[in-house]
């Protein structure tokens, strides 16, 4: 009997030691069991127990250290090593259970739940759309709290937050046209098109941003015209008797009114704003952002090829080449704000978010649509510079040591970190990485933004990755994270991304829904709201959410391929867009591409990358659970 008492005593002692280690160092899973302390898996505390401390370099595997010249001793023990050693540590296996918590949560998604989420996304769209048509049309936007329409702020012309976007041209209706087709509502699509034809005119004394008018209005008119007139792309015959290319004529009229922005600039880079009646305002500034000036080529290029007039593509491509020629000789990076007369960089920050995002996006998408090799070579050169100078963290997404990959804001000339925040617009980049075939890096960056969403139920406009807190607190119902989620699901078919979409959908329903629509979150922490529903909520956010859960959508079943513009408008990849009715606009100018860039970056024959994830990976987490836990810990989920 004595030996039994000894054995029992040893077992009790071992369990007691395990509990002490658990409580002292937070080595348990993310649970609290209702108590006032929180037990979290802490990789840094593991390292203090079992690892050696090392100094870290600013461009090494760790970005979570302090910057601005300060260095301090920090562990660089890796998730991979922790995972490997955890098999040898009984106190860790005590918490494993039969299945990892992330595997249990994300590894499957029933068809019944998928159908339910599809229905929720559809209801979300129609709640916003129907109330816009009831309370706001023909004005530009819906104020969803007061149930009123909103147009330009004529009493305060300097209110560019409103006036850059709202031009007194029924913005939300136009921006939403092709979403109606995606949801299968041909009848309402045709009714909406007729309303646009009968009521919309661009002969207005409205000063608007060229970029916003291009992506929201011009892009939607072109997309809807193509879908109306081409029965093989991708919704079948949706045209109606009497349609006489009116949407194309409206698009042409708008584009002509935007052309004065390209006149009287020394560089060919356009002014940021035009008045639709009178052209460039006399008091217009000479500064513009890289994305605003360099993200016109898709819409202008399609319009040129539809009407056989090279003017629009010529001015848009000239602007892209002008910006490209101003990149740093040292890093290959561009800044975010440039003087259109002098070509001097006013803003020297280089990043992937506001002011730069769609410039990179349209280099690749222009190549996919038009087949111009120059566009692909510029994109690949830019992507290489991004990887070399903005990317921090471990080399590989799903293995190795260090912090998860993250893209930071750097000085365009030196590549040194300029600040410690990232913005919500950068969440588009995983989707672009999918289009480029870099699915592994897309998985990691997407997981970081999803962790931020899980913490706040939204994406703050800016998030400080060093302070682990928002810098700018509002969320205007942006689509970028949903877009990347959708594209990653199309590439991997992993149910994890359906769970992400469900989380986003439920958060929007819980935090943003108001009396007549969905409202901008003024503060992602206290969930206070602003009375505004931007048009991209219906044009993009709802569209991508619906498509994520609709496996049988015509876009997914069509024999023809398609792409989305930066505003989420559907554009078919059509051989007629690779044919020009004119000679080359102008040869590749000296300095636009270096000799090495011209010779070393041949575009692939097949740009499609949707099957690059092995089948076996589709039934496991896209990111190993220990790395997911690491990201959640860093974001304080």
């Amino acid at each position: 009997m004595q030996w039994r008492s000894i054995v029992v005593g040893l077992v009790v002692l071992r369990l007691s030691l395990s509990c002490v280690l658990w409580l002292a160092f937070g080595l348990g899973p993310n649970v609290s069991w209702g108590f006032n302390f929180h037990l979290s898996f802490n990789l840094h505390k593991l390292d203090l127990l079992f690892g050696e401390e090392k100094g870290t370099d600013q461009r090494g595997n760790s970005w979570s250290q302090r910057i601005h010249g300060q260095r301090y001793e920090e562990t660089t023990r890796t998730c991979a090593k922790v995972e490997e050693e955890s098999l040898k540590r009984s106190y860790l296996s005590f918490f494993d259970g039969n299945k990892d918590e992330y595997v249990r949560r994300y590894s499957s998604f029933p068809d019944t739940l998928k159908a339910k989420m599809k229905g929720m996304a559809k209801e979300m769209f129609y709640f916003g759309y129907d109330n816009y048509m009831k309370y706001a049309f023909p004005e530009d936007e819906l104020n969803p709290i007061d149930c009123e329409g909103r147009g330009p702020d004529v009493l305060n012309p300097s209110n560019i937050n409103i006036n850059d976007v709202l031009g007194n041209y029924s913005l939300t209706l136009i921006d939403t046209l092709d979403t109606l087709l995606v949801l299968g509502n041909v009848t309402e699509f045709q009714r909406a098109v007729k309303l646009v034809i009968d009521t919309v005119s661009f002969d207005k004394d409205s000063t608007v941003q060229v970029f916003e008018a291009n992506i929201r209005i011009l892009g939607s008119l072109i997309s809807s015209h193509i879908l109306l007139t081409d029965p093989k792309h991708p919704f079948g015959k949706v045209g109606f008797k009497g349609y006489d290319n009116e949407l194309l004529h409206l698009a042409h009229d708008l584009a002509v009114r935007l052309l004065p922005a390209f006149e009287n600039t020394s560089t060919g880079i356009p002014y940021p704003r035009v008045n639709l009646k009178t052209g460039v305002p006399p008091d217009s500034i000479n500064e513009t952002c890289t994305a605003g000036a360099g993200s016109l080529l898709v819409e202008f290029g399609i319009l040129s090829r539809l009407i056989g007039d090279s003017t629009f593509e010529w001015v848009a491509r000239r602007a892209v080449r002008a910006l490209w020629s101003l990149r740093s000789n040292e890093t290959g990076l561009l800044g975010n704000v440039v003087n259109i007369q002098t070509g001097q960089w006013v803003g020297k920050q280089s990043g992937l978010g506001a002011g730069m995002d769609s410039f990179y996006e349209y280099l690749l998408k222009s190549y996919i649509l038009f087949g111009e090799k120059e566009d692909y070579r510029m994109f690949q050169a830019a992507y290489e510079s991004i990887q070399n100078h903005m990317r921090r963290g471990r080399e590989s997404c799903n293995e190795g040591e260090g912090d998860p990959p993250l893209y930071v804001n750097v000085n365009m000339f030196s590549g040194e970190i300029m600040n410690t925040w990232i913005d919500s617009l950068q969440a588009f980049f995983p989707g672009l990485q999918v289009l480029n075939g870099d699915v592994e890096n897309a998985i990691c960056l997407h997981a970081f933004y999803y962790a931020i969403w899980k913490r706040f139920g939204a994406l703050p406009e800016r998030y400080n990755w060093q302070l682990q807190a928002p810098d700018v607190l509002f969320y205007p119902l942006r689509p970028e994270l949903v877009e990347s989620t959708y594209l990653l699901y199309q590439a991997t078919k992993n149910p994890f991304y359906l769970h992400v979409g469900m989380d986003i959908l439920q958060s929007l329903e819980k935090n943003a829904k108001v009396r007549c629509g969905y409202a901008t979150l003024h503060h992602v922490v206290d969930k206070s709201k602003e009375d505004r529903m931007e048009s991209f909520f219906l044009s993009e956010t709802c569209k991508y959410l619906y498509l994520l859960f609709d496996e049988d959508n015509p876009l997914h079943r069509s024999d023809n391929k398609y792409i989305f513009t930066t505003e989420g408008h559907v554009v078919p990849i059509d051989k007629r867009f690779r044919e020009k009715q004119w000679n080359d606009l102008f040869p590749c100018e000296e300095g636009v591409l270096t000799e090495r860039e011209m010779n070393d970056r041949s575009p692939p024959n097949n740009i499609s990358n949707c099957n690059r994830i092995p089948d076996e990976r589709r039934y496991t987490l896209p990111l190993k659970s220990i790395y997911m836990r690491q990201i959640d810990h860093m974001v304080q989920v």
Side-chain angles (χ1 to χ4, degrees), residues 190-230:
Q190 293 174 339
R191 186 179 84 92
V193 168
K194 292 174 183 177
L195 275 174
V196 170
I197 293 171
D198 292 339
T199 65
V200 172
S201 167
F202 298 121
D203 189 25
K204 300 286 177 66
D205 185 18
S206 298
T207 298
V208 296
Q209 192 184 86
V210 175
F211 169 75
E212 295 289 359
N214 174 66
I215 66 170
R216 301 202 199 199
I217 301 293
L218 185 63
S220 183
L221 292 172
I222 291 171
S223 169
S224 299
H225 167 76
I226 294 170
L227 296 174
L228 270 169
T229 56
D230 195 339

Side-chain angles (χ1 to χ4, degrees), residues 226-238 554 558-561 572-576:
I226 294 170
L227 296 174
L228 270 169
T229 56
D230 195 339
K232 68 178 182 294
H233 292 304
F235 301 101
K237 296 180 179 179
V238 299
S558 173
D559 292 334
N560 299 286
K561 296 180 180 179
I573 300 174
D574 195 316
K575 64 180 182 180
R576 64 177 164 158

Side-chain angles (χ1 to χ4, degrees), residues 271-272 284-288 338-341:
Y271 285 92
S284 182
I285 61 174
N286 288 327
E287 297 172 3
T288 191
V338 67
N339 186 298
I340 65 173
Q341 301 297 353

Side-chain angles (χ1 to χ4, degrees), residues 189-372:
F189 169 73
Q190 293 174 339
R191 186 179 84 92
V193 168
K194 292 174 183 177
L195 275 174
V196 170
I197 293 171
D198 292 339
T199 65
V200 172
S201 167
F202 298 121
D203 189 25
K204 300 286 177 66
D205 185 18
S206 298
T207 298
V208 296
Q209 192 184 86
V210 175
F211 169 75
E212 295 289 359
N214 174 66
I215 66 170
R216 301 202 199 199
I217 301 293
L218 185 63
S220 183
L221 292 172
I222 291 171
S223 169
S224 299
H225 167 76
I226 294 170
L227 296 174
L228 270 169
T229 56
D230 195 339
K232 68 178 182 294
H233 292 304
F235 301 101
K237 296 180 179 179
V238 299
F240 54 86
K241 186 177 180 180
Y243 178 70
D244 190 24
N245 299 328
E246 287 92 345
L247 295 186
L248 183 61
H249 297 324
L250 279 170
H252 186 200
D253 177 49
L254 175 61
V256 169
R257 295 173 187 273
L258 298 179
L259 280 181
F262 297 87
E263 299 172 1
N264 301 316
T265 76
S266 302
T267 61
I269 300 171
Y271 285 92
R273 298 174 183 88
V274 295
N275 183 284
L276 296 178
K277 266 186 178 291
T278 62
V280 177
D283 59 349
S284 182
I285 61 174
N286 288 327
E287 297 172 3
T288 191
C289 69
T290 303
S295 305
L296 309 171
L297 185 53
V298 166
E299 290 83 1
F300 273 44
I302 294 175
L303 178 63
S304 278
R305 293 169 193 240
L306 284 175
I307 66 177
D309 182 349
S310 65
T311 302
F312 305 100
E313 181 173 346
W314 188 86
V315 296
R317 188 170 292 281
R318 181 181 61 172
V320 171
R321 287 180 166 181
L323 288 165
W324 186 251
S325 69
L326 299 175
R327 70 197 186 282
S328 167
N329 292 327
E330 297 297 324
T331 65
L333 298 174
L334 294 84
N336 59 343
V337 180
V338 67
N339 186 298
I340 65 173
Q341 301 297 353
T342 66
Q344 296 297 309
W345 289 106
V346 179
K348 299 177 178 61
Q349 176 178 298
S350 194
L352 299 178
M356 300 205 67
D357 49 355
S358 52
F359 175 79
Y360 304 118
E361 178 185 1
Y362 269 22
L363 288 179
L364 182 58
K365 289 184 177 179
S366 294
Y367 167 68
I368 294 172
L369 283 170
F370 307 132
E372 299 286 351

Side-chain angles (χ1 to χ4, degrees), residues 455-469:
R455 179 179 171 187
F456 298 106
L459 280 187
E461 191 72 353
R462 285 184 184 175
Y463 177 81
N464 192 306
W465 46 262
Q466 184 180 72
L467 301 178
Q468 299 180 348

